[in-house]
Each structure stands twice: as structure tokens, then as C-alpha cells.
């Protein structure tokens, strides 16, 4: 039985945490008053002290336990969002600082200790009188990664996981498409180095990075340029830059994607269409689906950050319903379908039996005059080219960013640049509904062999405003994927993430092709030098040859049934 007398060290959560809790809107009413025990010491297998806070309901009865492990400290935002809110709904919440952070002993080392430290924490839970043996995990971003680490050898008590905007592959996070993800890597590193030290130091660090950001992104070599913005050297960041290849032994054990292939723990996945973890989340879902694992997917009109801010009412409801169903035998909060996605263009939520649903691949061919044609041109158009100059890199506008203006943005000014090619359909005579992965199949030559190809799908409205839908980048190197000028073009496929999007009649579909999106991705210097040590800049001429085509997953008329419900407007 859980009573206040069993927790002699219990106290009310700090005043500022209680004040922050009152700022949340659109949440269910609390069921219990709560208390917490701060600074409990959980021994890791090697003896390191893992500092842990325990939140719990002030009520008699047996309550399941949620484990939250974080390298970002145990205060804001995790204390109010997880510790307080879920304890009020009838859960013990164990909120722990990963080793080397938030006062925990040992040295923080990306991914290498998470599985062992998670198992040690479950061993500690088994010795607590209030632990019933019903365990769930929850958390966002890297807090999702540690869940996959625990699930690699899941303890028998683990009955449910909720992974919010979470990742499983750290190499893929640092080097998506083969390019170094500069903007999000700097933001992530700043958070990991400073957030666990308290909010004042975190805010100071964020302001310092903001002041130095432009200088960092324009200075070579990157391996030393970042130091001024982060207040010192960051070993895991330098190691990530120094090891760009996924096969490098440095990354051994960093990709936990295979965990989902044999998992039997019911898992809820939550992401947004402009989340930096979208692609990895959908990969996780696909593997769970193939494994026959009980699963759920929610994709909202969110970025990585806004999912846990503006999207929190939907995210909290989804998470709470999943945890109650699998830890409390209360399925009343579950929907009847496995997937629920927000459809931009319609501004509606759509329930789907699974993801991705059945669609038909529609091909739109790139013509030499900048049009997209619904069928292959009868006469092969001449190649079209652009010059990418890393000294004046093509900027990033919107999309999955951690800082700045993320999400849906006006791309009109970007498309006016000489280094951005656009291909546009005629005005649509009827709506086109996308549901699933988008891609482009190009035939490419380049004069240097070293270049990036950035492709983006946009919606052009009747006023000419071009809004990004989804995109992707692929780094090319000399060899089969990067034919040089004069040789036969190389076939290059650029995955452009997935989308749930309705293009209204009268709008136009547009494809952008360019040589980068800076500083979202570190610019391709054109020399083939490693990103950490490159010091020279070499422009590249990139040509697109026939046949090149955009591939869209188009849903049938059944998509427009009454299944969709009004939802939040996308962030524009």
C-alpha cells in the first residue's frame, strides 16, 4: 500500500515546479495530490550514484511505476511534465539523471552506459516497497533513446513504452543523408552540456550559442569553430564530427533500430511532421509493425520542440491513454486504429488502420523549362544545372529545425536564388492527397564529384506563396553515386521523409532541387575533406538529366471520408 507514512523523506514538489504545472492547459483534472522524494541514490552496476527523484500520489493503493531517464537534468521541463502530471494521474514517477549529469556520478558518454544503467535502476526498483512490478517508460528525444536501450534486453516488468519525438540511431541523428547536421547538433550539444546544471546556466548557454551561431557556421574548420559558442570543447561532438561513416567502429552499439524487430513490449510512438526525429520514428513503427508488436502512432503538425509545447495536450492524452491501457488494464483512452496523423492542407486529424496506408505511386517528371509533367516528356529535355558555392551556401528555410523558424515557412525568397532549381505543375484540377513516403529519383552529374543534393516538396497556393511540405538531402561522393561531367549520369534517389498533406484544387505542386540547406546541414566544402578538419571551399556545378522524376504516394477517394476530424492548424 502507498501511504504518506511510508515516505518519511517526502515533501511537496518545489514551488516553482507547482507553479509551472498550473500553466498547462487542456489537460484532464488531477486525481491525486502528490509528494516527492528528491535526490535518492540509485547504484549503477559499477557503483556510480545515479541521482533520482521519486514522485507519487498521496493516496492508499497500488500504483504502477514510470521510469524517466534524462541527461538534461531532473527539473524543467521534465519535473512538471512527467513527475507532477503523471503522479497526479496515479503513477509513481522515477525521474533519474543519466550518469555524469545532474549530479549523478560517472562520466556521461553518449549511449555507452544507458542499457546497463537502466537495468541497474530496475534492479533498484525491485527492492522498493511501493513497486508493484508494473513498469512503463516515457520520455522525449534522448529520453526516448534510453528507452530503446532498456528494451534491448527488456526486464519482465516492462509492460509499456511511450517514445515521444525520440530517436534510436545516433549516427543517423548527427549525419542524416551523409551530411553533418550542424544546426541541430549545436543545439543538442548545448542542451546536453548545460541544461542539467540548472535553468540559469542553461539560458546563459543558449544566449551564448545564439551570439556565436553565425560565426560558427561560417568558419572553418568546424572542429574548432564551435568552441566559442558552447563555452569549451565537447568530446562527444568532436568524435561525431570526426567519424562521419556509419561503419566506423566509433558508432558500434549506437544504432538501436534492431531492438524493435523482436520487441514484444507495447510501444506508443509520437512525432511531428517537422520533427528532427520523424524519419527515425517512422522506421521504428515499421519495424514494430513487421514484428507484430502492439503499437500506436501519433503524428501531429509539430516540430521537435512544439510537440512538447503547443502539442502537449494531444501528446499527454495519447501517452496517458496508452499507459493506463497497459499498466492499469483501462483501455478507455485508446483509439480503435493504430495510427492517427494530422493532415496539413485539410487541417484535420485522420485515423488510419496502420502506417503507411495503401496508396498509388504517382510520378511527375522534371522538364527542362521548370515544369512538372504527369507523364514522361516525348522528347528528352536538355539537362538543367545550378552552381553551388559553399562560400555563399544555399540557406535553410523552415522544416525540421531545433532553433529559428522551424516547420512550415514561405519559401518564395529562397526559390528566387540562382542556386535553387524549381519544377512546378500546372494548377491542379482536383485535390491531391498524400499519405506516406515521398522521394525523388534523379539522374545527376557534377564537375567535382563532391556535392549534396537537397530536394524539397512545396505547395504553391493561388497567390504564389510556396510552403515547404517535406524534404531530404543526400551527400554524393566520387563513384557510382556521383558521376562527373561528361560521364553517364548517376541514378540518385533522395528520400524526402513522409507526409500527410492535401493539395487543394487550384494549388500547384513544386519540387525544389539545390546543393544544400545551410546551416541545417554543414555546407559541402566540395573537397571531400572530413567535416571537422576541412579548410578549403570548392564550388560545384550540378546538372540534372532526363529522366528525373518526383514520386508521390497518392491516396484514393476514400481518404476524403468523414474519418477526418477538425484539428489544430499547422504552424505557419
Amino acid at each position: 500500500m502507498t501511504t504518506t507514512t511510508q515516505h518519511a523523506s517526502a515533501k511537496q514538489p518545489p514551488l516553482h515546479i507547482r507553479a509551472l504545472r498550473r500553466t498547462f492547459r487542456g489537460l484532464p483534472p488531477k486525481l491525486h495530490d502528490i509528494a516527492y522524494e528528491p535526490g535518492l541514490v540509485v547504484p549503477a552496476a559499477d557503483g556510480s550514484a545515479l541521482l533520482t527523484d521519486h514522485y507519487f500520489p498521496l493516496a492508499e493503493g497500488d500504483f504502477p511505476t514510470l521510469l524517466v531517464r534524462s541527461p538534461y537534468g531532473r527539473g524543467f521541463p521534465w519535473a512538471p511534465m512527467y513527475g507532477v502530471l503523471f503522479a497526479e494521474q496515479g503513477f509513481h514517477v522515477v525521474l533519474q539523471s543519466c550518469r555524469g549529469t545532474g549530479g549523478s556520478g560517472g562520466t556521461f558518454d553518449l549511449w555507452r552506459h544507458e542499457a546497463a544503467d537502466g537495468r541497474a535502476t530496475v534492479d533498484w526498483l525491485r527492492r522498493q516497497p511501493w513497486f508493484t512490478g508494473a513498469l512503463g517508460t516515457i520520455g522525449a528525444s534522448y529520453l526516448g533513446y534510453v528507452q530503446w536501450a532498456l528494451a534491448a534486453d527488456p526486464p519482465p516488468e516492462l509492460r509499456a513504452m511511450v517514445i515521444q519525438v525520440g530517436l534510436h540511431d545516433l549516427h543517423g541523428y548527427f549525419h542524416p543523408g551523409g551530411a553533418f547536421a550542424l544546426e541541430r547538433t549545436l543545439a543538442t550539444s548545448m542542451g546536453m552540456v548545460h541544461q542539467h546544471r540548472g535553468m540559469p546556466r542553461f539560458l546563459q548557454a543558449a544566449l551564448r550559442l545564439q551570439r556565436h551561431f553565425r560565426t560558427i557556421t561560417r568558419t572553418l574548420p568546424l572542429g574548432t569553430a564551435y568552441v566559442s559558442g558552447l563555452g569549451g570543447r565537447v568530446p562527444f561532438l568532436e568524435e561525431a564530427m570526426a567519424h562521419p561513416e556509419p561503419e566506423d567502429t566509433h558508432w558500434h552499439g549506437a544504432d538501436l533500430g534492431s531492438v524493435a524487430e523482436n520487441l514484444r513490449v507495447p510501444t506508443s510512438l509520437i512525432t511531428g511532421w517537422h520533427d528532427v526525429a520523424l524519419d527515425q520514428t517512422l522506421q521504428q513503427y515499421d519495424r514494430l509493425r513487421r514484428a507484430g508488436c502492439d503499437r500506436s502512432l501519433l503524428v501531429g503538425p509539430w516540430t521537435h520542440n512544439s510537440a512538447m509545447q503547443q502539442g502537449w495536450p494531444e501528446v499527454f492524452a495519447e501517452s496517458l491513454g496508452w499507459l493506463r491501457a497497459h499498466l492499469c488494464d483501462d483501455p478507455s483512452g485508446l483509439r480503435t486504429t493504430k495510427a492517427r496523423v494530422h493532415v496539413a492542407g485539410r487541417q484535420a486529424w485522420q485515423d488510419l488502420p496502420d502506417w503507411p496506408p495503401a496508396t498509388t505511386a504517382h510520378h511527375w517528371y522534371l522538364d527542362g523549362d521548370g515544369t512538372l509533367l504527369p507523364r514522361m516528356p516525348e522528347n528528352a529535355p536538355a539537362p538543367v544545372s545550378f552552381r553551388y558555392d559553399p562560400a555563399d551556401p544555399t540557406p535553410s528555410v523552415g522544416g525540421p529545425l531545433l532553433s529559428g523558424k522551424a516547420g512550415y515557412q514561405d519559401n518564395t525568397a529562397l526559390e528566387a536564388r540562382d542556386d535553387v532549381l524549381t519544377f512546378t505543375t500546372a494548377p491542379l484540377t482536383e485535390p491531391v492527397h498524400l499519405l506516406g513516403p515521398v522521394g525523388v529519383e534523379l539522374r545527376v552529374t557534377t564537375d567535382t564529384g563532391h556535392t549534396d543534393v537537397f530536394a524539397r516538396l512545396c505547395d504553391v497556393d493561388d497567390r504564389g506563396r510556396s510552403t515547404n511540405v517535406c524534404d531530404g538531402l543526400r551527400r554524393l561522393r566520387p563513384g557510382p553515386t556521383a558521376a562527373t561531367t561528361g560521364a553517364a549520369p548517376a541514378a540518385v534517389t533522395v528520400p524526402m521523409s513522409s507526409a500527410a498533406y492535401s493539395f487543394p484544387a487550384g494549388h500547384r505542386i513544386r519540387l525544389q532541387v539545390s546543393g544544400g540547406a545551410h546551416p541545417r546541414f554543414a555546407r559541402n566544402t566540395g573537397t571531400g575533406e572530413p567535416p571537422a578538419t576541412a579548410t578549403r571551399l570548392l564550388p560545384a556545378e550540378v546538372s540534372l538529366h532526363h529522366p528525373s522524376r518526383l514520386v508521390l504516394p497518392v491516396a484514393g477517394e476514400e481518404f476524403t471520408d468523414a474519418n477526418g476530424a477538425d484539428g489544430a492548424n499547422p504552424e505557419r
Side-chain angles (χ1 to χ4, degrees):
M1 289 296 207
T2 301
T3 65
T4 56
T5 58
Q6 288 178 309
H7 300 274
S9 61
K11 58 181 74 174
Q12 277 195 318
L15 178 61
H16 70 281
I17 296 299
R18 285 179 277 147
L20 287 169
R21 187 265 175 263
R22 288 194 289 270
T23 65
F24 293 113
R25 297 289 183 267
L27 303 182
K30 74 174 184 178
L31 303 180
H32 305 284
D33 290 328
I34 67 168
Y36 92 132
E37 297 176 286
L40 301 176
V41 175
V42 175
D46 65 354
S48 297
L50 304 177
L51 293 191
T52 302
D53 297 340
H54 171 213
Y55 295 79
F56 56 91
L58 286 172
E60 293 190 357
D62 292 330
F63 299 102
T65 298
L66 301 182
L67 174 59
V68 184
R69 303 189 61 250
S70 165
Y72 299 109
R74 304 187 306 283
F76 179 82
W78 321 122
M81 296 178 76
Y82 297 135
V84 173
L85 288 178
F86 282 94
E88 289 179 346
Q89 295 299 319
F91 296 88
H92 290 276
V93 182
V94 175
L95 179 51
Q96 181 179 92
S97 288
C98 294
R99 67 168 55 223
T101 71
S104 289
T107 301
F108 180 70
D109 193 354
L110 273 180
W111 85 80
R112 292 181 174 88
H113 300 289
E114 304 303 355
D117 289 351
R119 290 193 296 269
T121 304
V122 176
D123 288 341
W124 176 84
L125 284 172
R126 294 180 181 125
R127 300 193 293 272
Q128 307 313 303
W130 43 264
F131 182 61
T132 65
L135 176 65
T137 60
I138 188 171
S141 196
Y142 190 86
L143 285 67
Y145 183 85
V146 301
Q147 296 181 66
W148 289 115
L150 181 63
D153 183 16
E157 296 89 349
L158 184 58
R159 300 184 188 177
M161 301 197 303
V162 177
I163 298 175
Q164 303 160 331
V165 294
L167 57 149
H168 64 265
D169 177 9
L170 290 173
H171 174 272
Y173 183 78
F174 284 103
H175 298 276
F180 187 65
L182 179 58
E183 180 268 347
R184 74 187 189 197
T185 297
L186 290 173
T188 297
S189 299
M190 184 273 296
M192 285 188 163
V193 171
H194 296 286
Q195 187 170 341
H196 66 92
R197 296 172 176 170
M199 190 52 58
R201 295 187 67 174
F202 173 66
L203 293 176
Q204 183 182 33
L207 290 173
R208 177 174 54 225
L209 178 58
Q210 185 179 46
R211 288 196 308 268
H212 291 272
F213 186 79
R214 180 174 174 81
T215 298
I216 294 170
T217 60
R218 295 287 184 145
T219 302
L220 296 177
L222 270 177
T224 56
Y226 81 89
V227 175
S228 61
L230 296 183
R233 306 195 78 90
V234 181
F236 69 77
L237 170 58
E238 294 187 6
E239 290 170 355
M241 273 195 282
H243 301 279
E245 300 300 331
E247 300 82 8
D248 194 300
T249 56
H250 170 77
W251 298 105
H252 179 71
D255 184 354
L256 300 175
S258 62
V259 171
E261 296 174 358
N262 300 296
L263 195 64
R264 291 294 177 264
V265 178
T267 302
S268 173
L269 301 174
I270 300 171
T271 185
W273 291 122
H274 292 289
D275 174 22
V276 296
L278 169 66
D279 292 342
Q280 293 201 25
T281 300
L282 297 181
Q283 292 168 15
Q284 295 159 18
Y285 186 84
D286 183 63
R287 287 165 170 159
L288 293 172
R289 179 180 60 82
R290 294 174 184 271
C293 184
D294 190 3
R295 65 204 177 273
S296 175
L297 177 68
L298 178 70
V299 190
W302 309 312
T303 67
H304 192 71
N305 293 329
S306 71
M308 309 301 288
Q309 297 168 0
Q310 294 93 330
W312 183 241
E314 290 92 350
V315 171
F316 181 78
E318 180 86 0
S319 304
L320 181 62
W322 189 259
L323 293 169
R324 280 181 171 161
H326 296 285
L327 298 179
C328 307
D329 297 320
D330 174 11
S332 61
L334 292 182
R335 60 173 178 269
T336 58
T337 60
K338 293 189 180 301
R340 191 168 198 241
V341 301
H342 186 272
V343 183
R346 292 173 62 202
Q347 280 67 265
W349 289 96
Q350 184 85 22
D351 288 326
L352 300 167
D354 219 332
W355 181 268
T359 56
T360 301
H362 283 210
H363 299 143
W364 294 84
Y365 289 85
L366 283 62
D367 204 357
D369 62 357
T371 59
L372 277 177
L373 301 175
R375 62 189 61 84
M376 187 181 298
E378 293 183 3
N379 299 313
V384 289
S385 303
F386 64 89
R387 183 178 186 268
Y388 176 77
D389 184 357
D392 180 24
T394 314
S396 53
V397 176
L401 304 173
L402 287 184
S403 58
K405 294 183 178 180
Y408 300 101
Q409 298 291 332
D410 186 354
N411 281 233
T412 307
L414 173 67
E415 293 168 353
R417 288 178 58 105
D418 292 338
D419 56 359
V420 179
L421 299 180
T422 60
F423 304 87
T424 311
T425 68
L428 300 172
T429 58
E430 57 186 21
V432 174
H433 310 296
L434 305 186
L435 275 179
V438 177
V440 64
E441 299 169 353
L442 303 173
R443 295 177 64 80
V444 180
T445 58
T446 176
D447 58 348
T448 66
H450 291 285
T451 191
D452 293 341
V453 176
F454 179 76
R456 167 170 275 182
L457 179 68
C458 291
D459 176 6
V460 183
D461 65 19
D462 51 10
R463 298 169 298 167
R465 174 187 167 109
S466 178
T467 300
N468 52 296
V469 176
C470 60
D471 55 49
L473 179 142
R474 184 163 176 196
R475 174 149 293 188
L476 308 185
R477 298 177 176 86
T481 62
T484 54
T485 303
V492 175
T493 298
V494 183
M496 299 164 64
S497 294
S498 289
Y501 198 95
S502 286
F503 290 86
H507 283 214
R508 293 174 289 158
I509 298 171
R510 175 169 290 169
L511 172 69
Q512 290 179 20
V513 182
S514 63
H518 182 264
R520 176 176 158 192
F521 302 99
R523 53 192 166 170
N524 193 321
T525 60
T527 65
E529 297 173 280
T533 57
T535 57
R536 296 182 298 117
L537 299 176
L538 181 64
E541 188 85 9
V542 182
S543 298
L544 306 182
H545 299 256
H546 177 77
S548 292
R549 63 185 186 180
L550 172 67
V551 184
L552 300 179
V554 177
E557 290 301 319
E558 67 277 6
F559 176 64
T560 61
D561 64 16
N563 195 23
D566 288 342
N569 289 331
E571 297 162 14
R572 296 196 177 214

